[in-house]
Amino acid sequence: MTDVVTAEGIPTHAVENIRLERCVIVLNQSLTPGRAANAAAVIALTIGQRHPQLVGQPLVDASDVSHPGLIPLGIAVLSGSGTQLRELRQKAAELGNIDLIDFPIQGQQTKNYASFQEAVAIIPLDDMDYSGVALVGAKKAISKIVADLALFG
C-alpha cells in the first residue's frame, strides 16, 4: 500500500505533525460566484480528508437532535490574483511546516478526474494557475503569508 502524499510530496504521516492553529482558503479573485463556491467546496473537502481531527464534536440542539460537527477554528476565505496565489503557494511550500492544498484551474475546465490529471501533467509548476489554495498550520506562519489579502467577495 502506498502512502498518500501532500502537494510537495510529503507523506501524510508528516501532515499529521502540522500544528492545526489556522486554516485559510484563498480563491482566485477572477472566479464567478458559482466557480468560487465550487473551488472552496472542493478544497474544504480535501482539507477535511487530510485533517479529520479538525472536525468538531456533533452539535446537539434543544430538541436533542444531533447535527454534524463543524470545524471549530473556522476557515477564512480570502481572495487574491492569480499571481498572488502562485506566490503564496511558493512561500508556503518553502516553509514546509504548512499543509498546502492547491486547486489548479484545470479542475474547473475538465469533465472528469482523468482529464484533470492529464491536463495538469503537461503544465510545469511555475506555469500553473489556481482556482484556489488552502493553507493549514501554524497561525503565525500562515498569517504572515496572507496578511495583505482581503476577504473574498
Side-chain angles (χ1 to χ4, degrees):
M1 182 171 138
T2 28
D3 197 8
V4 177
V5 296
T6 67
E8 296 307 312
I10 302 168
T12 53
H13 64 80
V15 171
E16 294 169 1
N17 296 324
I18 288 176
R19 291 171 49 192
L20 302 177
E21 299 172 342
R22 182 142 194 226
C23 179
V24 301
I25 296 174
V26 184
L27 298 176
N28 192 311
Q29 63 192 19
S30 69
L31 294 176
T32 63
R35 288 192 185 266
N38 170 264
V42 168
I43 292 168
L45 182 65
T46 302
I47 292 168
Q49 179 269 328
R50 293 166 66 86
H51 301 283
Q53 67 276 33
L54 282 176
V55 179
Q57 295 298 313
L59 304 165
V60 180
D61 65 27
S63 300
D64 205 32
V65 174
S66 182
H67 304 270
L70 302 173
I71 184 171
L73 59 101
I75 303 174
V77 180
L78 309 173
S79 70
S81 68
T83 299
Q84 287 173 310
L85 266 66
R86 279 191 300 278
E87 289 171 353
L88 76 89
R89 187 202 180 283
Q90 181 62 35
K91 288 176 187 175
E94 288 170 1
L95 286 176
N97 62 348
I98 294 174
D99 189 22
L100 169 64
I101 298 102
D102 56 23
F103 182 27
I105 61 168
Q106 290 75 18
Q108 294 182 324
Q109 298 172 342
T110 53
K111 299 290 184 197
N112 59 61
Y113 202 73
S115 297
F116 182 19
Q117 288 177 301
E118 290 170 9
V120 169
I122 61 172
I123 301 170
L125 180 61
D126 291 342
D127 295 336
M128 193 74 64
D129 289 314
Y130 301 97
S131 293
V133 175
L135 308 176
V136 179
K139 183 176 183 175
K140 186 175 180 179
I142 292 174
S143 295
K144 185 176 179 181
I145 294 172
V146 301
D148 296 331
L149 300 177
L151 288 172
F152 188 84

